[in-house]
Amino acid sequence: MGKVYLTGAGPGDIDLLTVKALRVVREADVIIYDRLANPDILKEAKPGCEFVYVGKQDGRHTLPQDQINEVIYQNALKHENVVRLKGGDPLVFGRGGEEAKYLRERGVKFEFIPGVTSAISVPAYAGIPVTHRGVAVSFKVVTGHETPNKKESQVDWEAMKADETIVFLMGLHNLRTIAENLIRIGRPEETPCAVISKGTTPEQKSVTGTLADIHRRVAEADIQTPALIVVGKVVELKRDLEWIEEAE
């Protein structure tokens, strides 16, 4: 029985892959990867390494999560070094904890290899620091897409009244609802907001606006997934700190 490395692939730019992640990729006998992992990372694998795609996109899943868990387990029975490569960080809405629990219950050794999370890196590549002295002293990372079979949402909207930065991951299709909920709890309609698509990649594109008009602006710009949403005064810093898109 082998060992599974639950590995963060980073947000997209291959240069943001960690040294440790690169090492285990190069040593892997099999790599089980998702849609958001940069495919160029697979080119670093050794000859003979197997590749298993288990990506998910807009509700269309190659495999449901319980089957993905089993695929990882079965590969651990056959291979010494198994890399489960996940976009961003495996423990930030990446279900890495669920996969680790499944392996632990079956006696399989595993290791977490953190990745650079898109929650911080993508805003940074758009010129938006999630905290900034005198502007925001804290930030919150929230899922923008919950499991549809939940009886009720676990998102605590009332806790978002504070004047802090909020980053929503996987929330593009729920953008209008997110903006309406924030306005409903008391965040001003003129609160700055940004939506960043395909962040840290050559296809990066961003749109800024306010809670009142961001949905319209995003629709007009035809922003595509994967995308994240940043809400808060730090968005205004983009005018002075933008570097990737400005350079292009």
Side-chain angles (χ1 to χ4, degrees):
M1 185 180 294
K3 183 175 181 179
V4 177
Y5 297 89
L6 298 158
T7 305
D13 185 343
I14 196 169
D15 287 340
L16 296 180
L17 186 69
T18 68
V19 172
K20 188 169 186 178
L22 180 59
R23 176 175 62 79
V24 298
V25 163
R26 287 173 172 171
E27 296 173 351
D29 300 309
V30 59
I31 299 175
I32 304 166
Y33 65 103
D34 68 17
R35 180 176 70 97
L36 297 181
N38 187 329
D40 286 342
I41 296 173
L42 304 181
K43 297 177 183 178
E44 296 291 335
K46 66 185 181 184
C49 179
E50 296 181 21
F51 303 115
V52 180
Y53 178 68
V54 291
K56 304 174 182 178
Q57 181 175 6
D58 297 337
R60 301 190 301 276
H61 296 180
T62 305
L63 292 174
Q65 186 62 48
D66 58 347
Q67 292 185 33
I68 292 174
N69 295 344
E70 183 64 16
V71 166
I72 299 170
Y73 170 63
Q74 291 297 329
N75 275 278
L77 297 179
K78 298 185 294 182
H79 300 286
E80 182 178 355
N81 294 310
V82 178
V83 169
R84 171 64 169 115
L85 193 63
K86 305 169 75 70
D89 181 280
L91 300 179
V92 181
F93 305 127
R95 306 186 80 162
E98 296 175 41
E99 294 171 358
K101 186 173 184 293
Y102 191 88
L103 296 172
R104 174 59 55 82
E105 290 170 349
R106 286 153 182 79
V108 178
K109 293 182 179 179
F110 65 85
E111 182 176 332
F112 289 125
I113 300 182
V116 177
T117 175
S118 62
I120 298 172
S121 57
V122 168
Y125 268 52
I128 302 172
V130 292
T131 64
H132 189 81
R133 187 172 61 171
V135 180
V137 298
S138 63
F139 69 96
K140 187 188 300 290
V141 181
V142 184
T143 179
H145 176 78
E146 293 187 276
T147 305
N149 59 5
K150 279 186 179 180
K151 293 183 179 179
E152 58 183 56
S153 172
Q154 288 181 274
V155 176
D156 186 358
W157 293 102
E158 293 297 322
M160 299 184 202
K161 291 181 177 179
D163 191 14
E164 64 177 354
T165 305
I166 309 174
V167 179
F168 291 91
L169 303 185
M170 307 173 294
L172 183 62
H173 297 311
N174 294 324
L175 177 58
R176 184 192 295 273
T177 299
I178 288 170
E180 289 175 348
N181 278 322
L182 290 173
I183 293 171
R184 174 181 58 80
I185 64 166
R187 296 293 287 254
E189 291 188 356
E190 63 271 17
T191 300
C193 187
V195 176
I196 309 158
S197 170
K198 302 179 181 180
T200 80
T201 75
E203 293 78 37
Q204 176 176 310
K205 184 177 181 180
S206 62
V207 172
T208 58
T210 66
L211 288 177
D213 65 13
I214 191 64
H215 183 268
R216 173 181 58 79
R217 290 174 178 267
V218 164
E220 290 173 350
D222 191 29
I223 292 293
Q224 302 295 315
T225 60
L228 60 72
I229 305 159
V230 186
V231 178
K233 293 180 180 179
V234 292
V235 172
E236 295 178 337
L237 295 168
K238 179 176 173 61
R239 289 192 298 266
D240 297 322
L241 304 182
E242 187 171 72
W243 56 286
I244 288 288
E245 295 169 61
E246 181 183 68
E248 297 172 352

